[in-house]
Amino acid sequence: HDAENSSLLRFNALWEASYRHDSLLVFSTGRSPLLYKQLRKEKPMITPDITIMSVGTEITYGKSMVPDDGWVQELNQKWDKDIVIEEASKFPELKPQAETEQRAHKVSFYVKKDNAKQVTEALSKILEQRGLDVKIIYSGGVDMDILPQGAGKGQALAYLLKKFETEGKLPGNTLVCGDSGNDAELFSIPGVYGVMVSNAQEELLQWHAENAKDNPKIPHASERCASGIIQAIGHFNLGPNLSPRDVSDIGQEQSVENVSAVQEIVNFCLLSEKWRRAEVENSELFIAAIKASTDPSGAYIHPSGADHSLKGYINILRKVYGNKQGKQFRIWLDNVLATQISSDIWLVKFDKWELHDEERHGCVVTTILRKDSDWFT
């Protein structure tokens, strides 16, 4: 619910610049795959390494979202979707959610807050008598999800951590972030850091007050949305927490000792956004700095196939200054991967996205960077 997407864009820039190369981004959502994919079209989200959907009942990997078959086998124990639907249909208070939200290991309803506790307790007893071992989660003040007892966001995380440990790849640190009731069990996994963002919903705030009020590993952030995640990274000293979007002098040259090839690319793309939004001064000094960081023999190939010299590209830049001023125009990068191909040369590949009002365009970009004593070219 952030119309400008400012928190998300701040997080995206920080993740791609500082964390993508050696960390795992995991999105854990109550949404089904269909609703999750819809959200990705509506919001400027970067691609996670792992996606946990349908309240922890589905785990997939990578951009192509390959399912985890081992997790499916675990959830099949003491679970029968048909029995759950049969018994739940006897409660008039429960209104089934859309068919897309009914998954192999999740049956979902809407229920008014006043009836939620009574229905949950009664239905739990009935399903137990029928030989099922289920978990009922209420979140968002209206959503009720019935899952296998072994499912849920917390159990999905525990499963992944155990899997990583078996493979000898246990993360150095794990930070979980949440805003609704179905996030509560994430915070109960041993050894993780947690944060509730400031705009967390009532049921999560209540859980925190009852279970984690004095737990220093689960603070309630003062920042909203993804900005609360950035705040938690700094609070726990887990790594860099200054987003490139928060650096006011982003157009000024910095020594390459302090900037990686990836950071250079992120900064350059943010600078082009600021240039087109007229948030930096239109000066010859700026143009001179761009010229200094481009190889005279270099080429710029537009996604349409048009081929320009980099010198010609700089002339195009002059013409588009301020052409997005006062408009909802943003640039963000996704899947930034830098490969060092010699002692002073990097090949950087990434997905570049531009959002103008409701219209979105993307392309895959490949760039060669060379480190020349003090600067990247």
Side-chain angles (χ1 to χ4, degrees):
H1 305 298
D2 177 6
E4 294 287 326
N5 298 310
S6 54
S7 295
L8 194 53
L9 290 164
R10 286 180 66 225
F11 176 81
N12 292 354
L14 175 63
W15 187 266
E16 295 298 336
S18 300
Y19 292 98
R20 174 69 78 178
H21 67 288
D22 69 351
S23 301
L24 289 174
L25 181 63
V26 183
F27 287 166
S28 188
T29 176
R31 292 175 175 85
S32 66
L34 180 73
L35 287 187
Y36 167 69
K37 287 172 184 175
Q38 277 181 0
L39 184 69
R40 288 188 63 83
K41 291 177 183 175
E42 295 164 10
K43 291 285 180 180
M45 296 164 67
I46 56 178
T47 305
D49 301 280
I50 302 172
T51 312
I52 302 171
M53 295 165 290
S54 306
V55 201
T57 61
E58 299 180 59
I59 299 175
T60 66
Y61 299 93
K63 202 171 186 175
S64 52
M65 299 177 70
V66 178
D68 187 317
D69 295 331
W71 183 235
V72 173
Q73 290 172 12
E74 289 211 10
L75 297 186
N76 283 335
Q77 298 170 33
K78 286 195 172 182
W79 170 257
D80 189 317
K81 184 179 175 181
D82 293 337
I83 291 176
V84 172
I85 294 171
E86 177 193 331
E87 294 297 345
S89 66
K90 296 173 184 176
F91 288 81
E93 301 93 336
L94 295 176
K95 306 297 178 192
Q97 292 186 19
E99 192 59 37
T100 58
E101 299 312 291
Q102 313 303 335
R103 307 295 294 173
H105 297 96
K106 180 174 82 79
V107 183
S108 298
F109 300 92
Y110 296 118
V111 60
K112 290 180 181 176
K113 192 192 295 187
D114 298 344
N115 301 325
K117 190 177 180 184
Q118 178 190 345
V119 171
T120 299
E121 289 175 355
L123 186 55
S124 291
K125 286 179 182 175
I126 292 169
L127 292 174
E128 188 179 343
Q129 288 165 4
R130 294 288 308 263
L132 303 190
D133 195 5
V134 305
K135 170 191 293 182
I136 301 179
I137 298 176
Y138 185 65
S139 62
V142 66
D143 298 313
M144 178 181 283
D145 298 304
I146 306 172
L147 324 168
Q149 184 60 244
K153 289 185 176 183
Q155 276 85 344
L157 173 59
Y159 169 84
L160 286 171
L161 289 172
K162 186 178 178 182
K163 185 174 180 176
F164 293 147
E165 187 173 21
T166 304
E167 295 170 354
K169 297 177 182 176
L170 192 65
N173 294 294
T174 302
L175 172 66
V176 300
C177 321
D179 72 342
S180 75
N182 63 27
D183 295 315
E185 59 180 45
L186 283 170
F187 300 123
S188 64
I189 303 302
V192 305
Y193 295 97
V195 62
M196 287 195 316
V197 293
S198 71
N199 56 309
Q201 294 174 10
E202 183 185 338
E203 71 266 9
L204 187 61
L205 295 175
Q206 186 178 339
W207 174 88
H208 187 265
E210 293 171 1
N211 300 278
K213 194 176 181 182
D214 301 315
N215 188 340
K217 291 191 83 171
I218 312 174
H220 186 191
S222 59
E223 298 274 352
R224 286 176 53 82
C225 307
S227 293
I229 301 172
I230 297 175
Q231 186 180 9
I233 290 171
H235 176 80
F236 293 119
N237 294 313
L238 299 179
N241 72 318
L242 179 65
S243 171
R245 284 190 171 272
D246 298 333
V247 180
S248 56
D249 59 348
I250 197 169
Q252 294 183 8
E253 294 287 1
Q254 300 179 63
S255 168
V256 289
E257 288 180 13
N258 303 316
V259 179
S260 69
V262 167
Q263 290 168 327
E264 179 75 6
I265 289 294
V266 172
N267 288 342
F268 184 85
C269 289
L270 288 180
L271 188 55
S272 64
E273 175 193 288
K274 286 174 177 280
W275 176 259
R276 295 180 68 183
R277 286 169 60 95
E279 292 175 352
V280 292
E281 187 183 346
N282 184 357
S283 69
E284 283 305 312
L285 192 65
F286 175 90
I287 294 295
I290 299 295
K291 281 181 179 176
S293 66
T294 55
D295 190 299
S297 64
Y300 167 73
I301 304 167
H302 190 269
S304 66
D307 194 332
H308 307 275
S309 69
L310 279 176
K311 187 179 179 183
Y313 173 66
I314 291 168
N315 291 330
I316 294 170
L317 264 183
R318 287 179 191 270
K319 294 175 184 175
V320 298
Y321 178 80
N323 70 341
K324 302 296 183 186
Q325 188 173 10
K327 297 174 182 174
Q328 279 209 347
F329 173 75
R330 293 293 181 191
I331 294 175
W332 73 97
L333 307 187
D334 187 15
N335 288 314
V336 183
L337 176 67
T339 306
Q340 190 165 359
I341 54 179
S342 75
S343 61
D344 61 347
I345 296 179
W346 284 260
L347 187 73
V348 186
K349 194 170 183 177
F350 56 94
D351 299 334
K352 179 187 175 189
W353 291 95
E354 290 187 4
L355 180 68
H356 182 197
D357 294 329
E358 298 300 312
E359 202 171 314
R360 179 188 300 207
H361 297 283
C363 60
V364 178
V365 181
T366 305
T367 305
I368 296 173
L369 272 75
R370 185 175 68 236
K371 187 163 69 172
D372 294 326
S373 62
D374 290 330
W375 315 112
F376 279 110
T377 302

